[in-house]
Amino acid sequence: MTSSELWTRATADRYDAEEAENSSATALGPALAFLAELAGDGRALEFAIGTGRVGIPLRGRGVPVVGIELSEHMAAVLRRKADEDTLPVTIGDMATTVVPGGFTLVYLVYNTISNLLTQDEQVDCFRNAARHLEPGGRFVIELLVPPLRFLPPGRTVVPFDVSERHLGFDTVDLVEQMLVSHHFTRDGDDGRYRRADSRHRYAWPAELDLMARIAGLELERRVADWDGAPFTQDSAKHISVWRKPT
């Protein structure tokens, strides 16, 4: 078992509703096109596949997708939408769980590598990706750039969303490279907020590149979004692609 926090049944049951905007065809289209092109005629493996937000529509584009998921509750929600023959899912962690066969693409989206709370486990995740890749295959990660530029001197809190029904704040431990996201969500109209916190270990792109080198992978490209915009010092996130040498 890794240090990743397990998603509960209650969280899994409301996940799709909360991510409806990010699951729309408009929002997902560029990501699916990006991943499908890299998969080519081969198979894709999604680490932390969750409820299938990306894996199911990617399978719908003709890419054979296999998933690994730590939370049985998240996988159960996926299973309501796709059976085992359509999209096989293995319960396990993304740092050590091995599934049969080779893949032209392994991908890990939506900041999920930060759920591994130690550097060693993040390195093991890269090694696990390399273990599954065929020669010439790619490992793709989508990850936020740590928001440290927004921290005034002496402060450790960064707001990332202040809207009518959601307040979101990150608290940052600069020594341990830990970030805790605090969510206050208003579900109804009675003024009450539901609180949820999640822990993450943030990593810079250069640190990920070193993890990739340890795993025998080479950086192929890095862009700022799924549309391929250039990655700059002002980019809020990055899509990075590492290749397993032939």
Side-chain angles (χ1 to χ4, degrees), residues 69-93:
E69 172 56 42
L70 183 62
S71 169
E72 294 185 19
H73 301 301
M74 295 288 279
V77 175
L78 181 153
R79 192 54 69 225
R80 300 171 196 163
K81 298 177 282 186
D83 61 27
E84 180 69 15
D85 290 337
T86 301
L87 205 166
V89 175
T90 297
I91 302 299
D93 69 83

PDB file of all heavy atoms in Angstrom, residues 69-93:
ATOM      1  N   GLU A  69      -6.493   1.128 -10.328  1.00  0.00           N
ATOM      2  CA  GLU A  69      -7.172   2.058  -9.426  1.00  0.00           C
ATOM      3  C   GLU A  69      -7.049   1.567  -7.989  1.00  0.00           C
ATOM      4  O   GLU A  69      -7.317   0.404  -7.693  1.00  0.00           O
ATOM      5  CB  GLU A  69      -8.647   2.209  -9.815  1.00  0.00           C
ATOM      6  CG  GLU A  69      -9.503   3.001  -8.849  1.00  0.00           C
ATOM      7  CD  GLU A  69      -8.962   4.397  -8.578  1.00  0.00           C
ATOM      8  OE1 GLU A  69      -8.513   5.072  -9.522  1.00  0.00           O
ATOM      9  OE2 GLU A  69      -8.969   4.805  -7.398  1.00  0.00           O
ATOM     10  N   LEU A  70      -6.655   2.474  -7.089  1.00  0.00           N
ATOM     11  CA  LEU A  70      -6.468   2.116  -5.690  1.00  0.00           C
ATOM     12  C   LEU A  70      -7.793   1.964  -4.947  1.00  0.00           C
ATOM     13  O   LEU A  70      -7.950   1.090  -4.099  1.00  0.00           O
ATOM     14  CB  LEU A  70      -5.601   3.175  -5.007  1.00  0.00           C
ATOM     15  CG  LEU A  70      -5.236   2.935  -3.548  1.00  0.00           C
ATOM     16  CD1 LEU A  70      -4.419   1.657  -3.384  1.00  0.00           C
ATOM     17  CD2 LEU A  70      -4.461   4.127  -2.993  1.00  0.00           C
ATOM     18  N   SER A  71      -8.771   2.817  -5.271  1.00  0.00           N
ATOM     19  CA  SER A  71     -10.045   2.826  -4.544  1.00  0.00           C
ATOM     20  C   SER A  71     -11.060   1.882  -5.180  1.00  0.00           C
ATOM     21  O   SER A  71     -11.471   2.081  -6.329  1.00  0.00           O
ATOM     22  CB  SER A  71     -10.621   4.247  -4.508  1.00  0.00           C
ATOM     23  OG  SER A  71     -11.945   4.243  -4.031  1.00  0.00           O
ATOM     24  N   GLU A  72     -11.469   0.887  -4.441  1.00  0.00           N
ATOM     25  CA  GLU A  72     -12.514  -0.016  -4.941  1.00  0.00           C
ATOM     26  C   GLU A  72     -13.817   0.735  -5.186  1.00  0.00           C
ATOM     27  O   GLU A  72     -14.593   0.367  -6.068  1.00  0.00           O
ATOM     28  CB  GLU A  72     -12.727  -1.157  -3.954  1.00  0.00           C
ATOM     29  CG  GLU A  72     -11.540  -2.093  -3.813  1.00  0.00           C
ATOM     30  CD  GLU A  72     -11.857  -3.280  -2.914  1.00  0.00           C
ATOM     31  OE1 GLU A  72     -13.047  -3.565  -2.701  1.00  0.00           O
ATOM     32  OE2 GLU A  72     -10.904  -3.923  -2.427  1.00  0.00           O
ATOM     33  N   HIS A  73     -14.076   1.777  -4.414  1.00  0.00           N
ATOM     34  CA  HIS A  73     -15.313   2.533  -4.575  1.00  0.00           C
ATOM     35  C   HIS A  73     -15.318   3.303  -5.896  1.00  0.00           C
ATOM     36  O   HIS A  73     -16.341   3.358  -6.590  1.00  0.00           O
ATOM     37  CB  HIS A  73     -15.492   3.495  -3.401  1.00  0.00           C
ATOM     38  CG  HIS A  73     -15.542   2.811  -2.071  1.00  0.00           C
ATOM     39  ND1 HIS A  73     -16.483   1.855  -1.756  1.00  0.00           N
ATOM     40  CD2 HIS A  73     -14.753   2.945  -0.961  1.00  0.00           C
ATOM     41  CE1 HIS A  73     -16.292   1.432  -0.516  1.00  0.00           C
ATOM     42  NE2 HIS A  73     -15.249   2.063  -0.025  1.00  0.00           N
ATOM     43  N   MET A  74     -14.187   3.896  -6.250  1.00  0.00           N
ATOM     44  CA  MET A  74     -14.097   4.595  -7.535  1.00  0.00           C
ATOM     45  C   MET A  74     -14.247   3.603  -8.686  1.00  0.00           C
ATOM     46  O   MET A  74     -14.954   3.854  -9.662  1.00  0.00           O
ATOM     47  CB  MET A  74     -12.763   5.336  -7.633  1.00  0.00           C
ATOM     48  CG  MET A  74     -12.595   6.467  -6.634  1.00  0.00           C
ATOM     49  SD  MET A  74     -13.616   7.917  -6.998  1.00  0.00           S
ATOM     50  CE  MET A  74     -12.614   8.723  -8.259  1.00  0.00           C
ATOM     51  N   ALA A  75     -13.582   2.455  -8.568  1.00  0.00           N
ATOM     52  CA  ALA A  75     -13.675   1.441  -9.615  1.00  0.00           C
ATOM     53  C   ALA A  75     -15.097   0.914  -9.753  1.00  0.00           C
ATOM     54  O   ALA A  75     -15.542   0.579 -10.860  1.00  0.00           O
ATOM     55  CB  ALA A  75     -12.708   0.298  -9.323  1.00  0.00           C
ATOM     56  N   ALA A  76     -15.833   0.844  -8.646  1.00  0.00           N
ATOM     57  CA  ALA A  76     -17.214   0.360  -8.702  1.00  0.00           C
ATOM     58  C   ALA A  76     -18.092   1.314  -9.499  1.00  0.00           C
ATOM     59  O   ALA A  76     -19.001   0.882 -10.220  1.00  0.00           O
ATOM     60  CB  ALA A  76     -17.758   0.183  -7.285  1.00  0.00           C
ATOM     61  N   VAL A  77     -17.834   2.612  -9.382  1.00  0.00           N
ATOM     62  CA  VAL A  77     -18.591   3.586 -10.181  1.00  0.00           C
ATOM     63  C   VAL A  77     -18.262   3.411 -11.657  1.00  0.00           C
ATOM     64  O   VAL A  77     -19.149   3.433 -12.525  1.00  0.00           O
ATOM     65  CB  VAL A  77     -18.285   5.025  -9.716  1.00  0.00           C
ATOM     66  CG1 VAL A  77     -18.970   6.036 -10.624  1.00  0.00           C
ATOM     67  CG2 VAL A  77     -18.742   5.222  -8.273  1.00  0.00           C
ATOM     68  N   LEU A  78     -16.988   3.222 -11.967  1.00  0.00           N
ATOM     69  CA  LEU A  78     -16.599   2.954 -13.363  1.00  0.00           C
ATOM     70  C   LEU A  78     -17.299   1.711 -13.896  1.00  0.00           C
ATOM     71  O   LEU A  78     -17.784   1.696 -15.031  1.00  0.00           O
ATOM     72  CB  LEU A  78     -15.080   2.789 -13.455  1.00  0.00           C
ATOM     73  CG  LEU A  78     -14.471   2.520 -14.833  1.00  0.00           C
ATOM     74  CD1 LEU A  78     -13.034   3.027 -14.891  1.00  0.00           C
ATOM     75  CD2 LEU A  78     -14.487   1.038 -15.204  1.00  0.00           C
ATOM     76  N   ARG A  79     -17.381   0.680 -13.067  1.00  0.00           N
ATOM     77  CA  ARG A  79     -17.937  -0.585 -13.528  1.00  0.00           C
ATOM     78  C   ARG A  79     -19.415  -0.476 -13.872  1.00  0.00           C
ATOM     79  O   ARG A  79     -19.939  -1.271 -14.654  1.00  0.00           O
ATOM     80  CB  ARG A  79     -17.690  -1.656 -12.445  1.00  0.00           C
ATOM     81  CG  ARG A  79     -17.945  -3.069 -12.890  1.00  0.00           C
ATOM     82  CD  ARG A  79     -17.181  -3.455 -14.166  1.00  0.00           C
ATOM     83  NE  ARG A  79     -15.753  -3.565 -13.974  1.00  0.00           N
ATOM     84  CZ  ARG A  79     -14.851  -3.063 -14.797  1.00  0.00           C
ATOM     85  NH1 ARG A  79     -15.231  -2.399 -15.885  1.00  0.00           N
ATOM     86  NH2 ARG A  79     -13.561  -3.213 -14.579  1.00  0.00           N
ATOM     87  N   ARG A  80     -20.117   0.529 -13.342  1.00  0.00           N
ATOM     88  CA  ARG A  80     -21.511   0.752 -13.737  1.00  0.00           C
ATOM     89  C   ARG A  80     -21.615   1.229 -15.178  1.00  0.00           C
ATOM     90  O   ARG A  80     -22.667   1.129 -15.794  1.00  0.00           O
ATOM     91  CB  ARG A  80     -22.156   1.804 -12.824  1.00  0.00           C
ATOM     92  CG  ARG A  80     -22.193   1.461 -11.344  1.00  0.00           C
ATOM     93  CD  ARG A  80     -22.639   2.673 -10.540  1.00  0.00           C
ATOM     94  NE  ARG A  80     -22.341   2.546  -9.121  1.00  0.00           N
ATOM     95  CZ  ARG A  80     -22.325   3.568  -8.262  1.00  0.00           C
ATOM     96  NH1 ARG A  80     -22.600   4.790  -8.700  1.00  0.00           N
ATOM     97  NH2 ARG A  80     -22.039   3.365  -7.000  1.00  0.00           N
ATOM     98  N   LYS A  81     -20.508   1.745 -15.707  1.00  0.00           N
ATOM     99  CA  LYS A  81     -20.519   2.343 -17.047  1.00  0.00           C
ATOM    100  C   LYS A  81     -19.811   1.496 -18.094  1.00  0.00           C
ATOM    101  O   LYS A  81     -20.061   1.660 -19.289  1.00  0.00           O
ATOM    102  CB  LYS A  81     -19.858   3.732 -16.985  1.00  0.00           C
ATOM    103  CG  LYS A  81     -20.591   4.713 -16.080  1.00  0.00           C
ATOM    104  CD  LYS A  81     -19.872   6.046 -15.981  1.00  0.00           C
ATOM    105  CE  LYS A  81     -18.683   5.998 -15.055  1.00  0.00           C
ATOM    106  NZ  LYS A  81     -18.070   7.338 -14.849  1.00  0.00           N
ATOM    107  N   ALA A  82     -18.923   0.622 -17.672  1.00  0.00           N
ATOM    108  CA  ALA A  82     -18.175  -0.213 -18.621  1.00  0.00           C
ATOM    109  C   ALA A  82     -17.837  -1.538 -17.951  1.00  0.00           C
ATOM    110  O   ALA A  82     -17.332  -1.555 -16.821  1.00  0.00           O
ATOM    111  CB  ALA A  82     -16.883   0.491 -19.062  1.00  0.00           C
ATOM    112  N   ASP A  83     -18.104  -2.652 -18.633  1.00  0.00           N
ATOM    113  CA  ASP A  83     -17.836  -3.956 -18.033  1.00  0.00           C
ATOM    114  C   ASP A  83     -16.356  -4.315 -18.163  1.00  0.00           C
ATOM    115  O   ASP A  83     -15.572  -3.625 -18.830  1.00  0.00           O
ATOM    116  CB  ASP A  83     -18.727  -5.040 -18.640  1.00  0.00           C
ATOM    117  CG  ASP A  83     -18.528  -5.230 -20.141  1.00  0.00           C
ATOM    118  OD1 ASP A  83     -17.416  -4.948 -20.651  1.00  0.00           O
ATOM    119  OD2 ASP A  83     -19.480  -5.653 -20.817  1.00  0.00           O
ATOM    120  N   GLU A  84     -15.977  -5.428 -17.544  1.00  0.00           N
ATOM    121  CA  GLU A  84     -14.584  -5.839 -17.488  1.00  0.00           C
ATOM    122  C   GLU A  84     -14.005  -6.143 -18.860  1.00  0.00           C
ATOM    123  O   GLU A  84     -12.826  -5.866 -19.124  1.00  0.00           O
ATOM    124  CB  GLU A  84     -14.436  -7.061 -16.575  1.00  0.00           C
ATOM    125  CG  GLU A  84     -13.019  -7.599 -16.412  1.00  0.00           C
ATOM    126  CD  GLU A  84     -12.103  -6.683 -15.627  1.00  0.00           C
ATOM    127  OE1 GLU A  84     -12.615  -5.761 -14.950  1.00  0.00           O
ATOM    128  OE2 GLU A  84     -10.876  -6.890 -15.689  1.00  0.00           O
ATOM    129  N   ASP A  85     -14.819  -6.700 -19.757  1.00  0.00           N
ATOM    130  CA  ASP A  85     -14.326  -7.001 -21.100  1.00  0.00           C
ATOM    131  C   ASP A  85     -14.045  -5.729 -21.880  1.00  0.00           C
ATOM    132  O   ASP A  85     -13.114  -5.673 -22.684  1.00  0.00           O
ATOM    133  CB  ASP A  85     -15.348  -7.862 -21.849  1.00  0.00           C
ATOM    134  CG  ASP A  85     -15.438  -9.268 -21.294  1.00  0.00           C
ATOM    135  OD1 ASP A  85     -14.462  -9.711 -20.658  1.00  0.00           O
ATOM    136  OD2 ASP A  85     -16.489  -9.914 -21.477  1.00  0.00           O
ATOM    137  N   THR A  86     -14.852  -4.706 -21.650  1.00  0.00           N
ATOM    138  CA  THR A  86     -14.671  -3.436 -22.357  1.00  0.00           C
ATOM    139  C   THR A  86     -13.481  -2.669 -21.815  1.00  0.00           C
ATOM    140  O   THR A  86     -12.676  -2.109 -22.573  1.00  0.00           O
ATOM    141  CB  THR A  86     -15.935  -2.568 -22.235  1.00  0.00           C
ATOM    142  OG1 THR A  86     -17.047  -3.288 -22.787  1.00  0.00           O
ATOM    143  CG2 THR A  86     -15.780  -1.252 -22.975  1.00  0.00           C
ATOM    144  N   LEU A  87     -13.353  -2.632 -20.484  1.00  0.00           N
ATOM    145  CA  LEU A  87     -12.273  -1.863 -19.865  1.00  0.00           C
ATOM    146  C   LEU A  87     -11.820  -2.582 -18.591  1.00  0.00           C
ATOM    147  O   LEU A  87     -12.388  -2.380 -17.517  1.00  0.00           O
ATOM    148  CB  LEU A  87     -12.749  -0.437 -19.545  1.00  0.00           C
ATOM    149  CG  LEU A  87     -11.669   0.645 -19.463  1.00  0.00           C
ATOM    150  CD1 LEU A  87     -12.286   2.031 -19.498  1.00  0.00           C
ATOM    151  CD2 LEU A  87     -10.806   0.489 -18.231  1.00  0.00           C
ATOM    152  N   PRO A  88     -10.802  -3.415 -18.686  1.00  0.00           N
ATOM    153  CA  PRO A  88     -10.311  -4.138 -17.507  1.00  0.00           C
ATOM    154  C   PRO A  88      -9.691  -3.185 -16.486  1.00  0.00           C
ATOM    155  O   PRO A  88      -8.965  -2.253 -16.864  1.00  0.00           O
ATOM    156  CB  PRO A  88      -9.251  -5.082 -18.085  1.00  0.00           C
ATOM    157  CG  PRO A  88      -9.508  -5.127 -19.557  1.00  0.00           C
ATOM    158  CD  PRO A  88     -10.094  -3.804 -19.916  1.00  0.00           C
ATOM    159  N   VAL A  89      -9.985  -3.411 -15.216  1.00  0.00           N
ATOM    160  CA  VAL A  89      -9.422  -2.593 -14.135  1.00  0.00           C
ATOM    161  C   VAL A  89      -8.876  -3.509 -13.045  1.00  0.00           C
ATOM    162  O   VAL A  89      -9.555  -4.434 -12.604  1.00  0.00           O
ATOM    163  CB  VAL A  89     -10.480  -1.640 -13.537  1.00  0.00           C
ATOM    164  CG1 VAL A  89      -9.902  -0.887 -12.341  1.00  0.00           C
ATOM    165  CG2 VAL A  89     -10.984  -0.655 -14.586  1.00  0.00           C
ATOM    166  N   THR A  90      -7.648  -3.236 -12.623  1.00  0.00           N
ATOM    167  CA  THR A  90      -7.027  -3.961 -11.526  1.00  0.00           C
ATOM    168  C   THR A  90      -6.974  -3.053 -10.303  1.00  0.00           C
ATOM    169  O   THR A  90      -6.551  -1.891 -10.404  1.00  0.00           O
ATOM    170  CB  THR A  90      -5.599  -4.405 -11.897  1.00  0.00           C
ATOM    171  OG1 THR A  90      -5.661  -5.313 -13.004  1.00  0.00           O
ATOM    172  CG2 THR A  90      -4.912  -5.086 -10.722  1.00  0.00           C
ATOM    173  N   ILE A  91      -7.421  -3.565  -9.153  1.00  0.00           N
ATOM    174  CA  ILE A  91      -7.347  -2.799  -7.918  1.00  0.00           C
ATOM    175  C   ILE A  91      -5.921  -2.875  -7.379  1.00  0.00           C
ATOM    176  O   ILE A  91      -5.387  -3.951  -7.123  1.00  0.00           O
ATOM    177  CB  ILE A  91      -8.339  -3.326  -6.865  1.00  0.00           C
ATOM    178  CG1 ILE A  91      -9.766  -3.279  -7.421  1.00  0.00           C
ATOM    179  CG2 ILE A  91      -8.233  -2.531  -5.575  1.00  0.00           C
ATOM    180  CD1 ILE A  91     -10.247  -1.887  -7.782  1.00  0.00           C
ATOM    181  N   GLY A  92      -5.304  -1.717  -7.213  1.00  0.00           N
ATOM    182  CA  GLY A  92      -3.940  -1.665  -6.716  1.00  0.00           C
ATOM    183  C   GLY A  92      -3.385  -0.263  -6.836  1.00  0.00           C
ATOM    184  O   GLY A  92      -4.056   0.647  -7.335  1.00  0.00           O
ATOM    185  N   ASP A  93      -2.160  -0.074  -6.366  1.00  0.00           N
ATOM    186  CA  ASP A  93      -1.557   1.257  -6.417  1.00  0.00           C
ATOM    187  C   ASP A  93      -0.713   1.404  -7.675  1.00  0.00           C
ATOM    188  O   ASP A  93      -0.199   0.433  -8.218  1.00  0.00           O
ATOM    189  CB  ASP A  93      -0.727   1.527  -5.158  1.00  0.00           C
ATOM    190  CG  ASP A  93       0.521   0.665  -5.104  1.00  0.00           C
ATOM    191  OD1 ASP A  93       1.520   1.054  -5.723  1.00  0.00           O
ATOM    192  OD2 ASP A  93       0.491  -0.393  -4.449  1.00  0.00           O
TER     193      ASP A  93
END
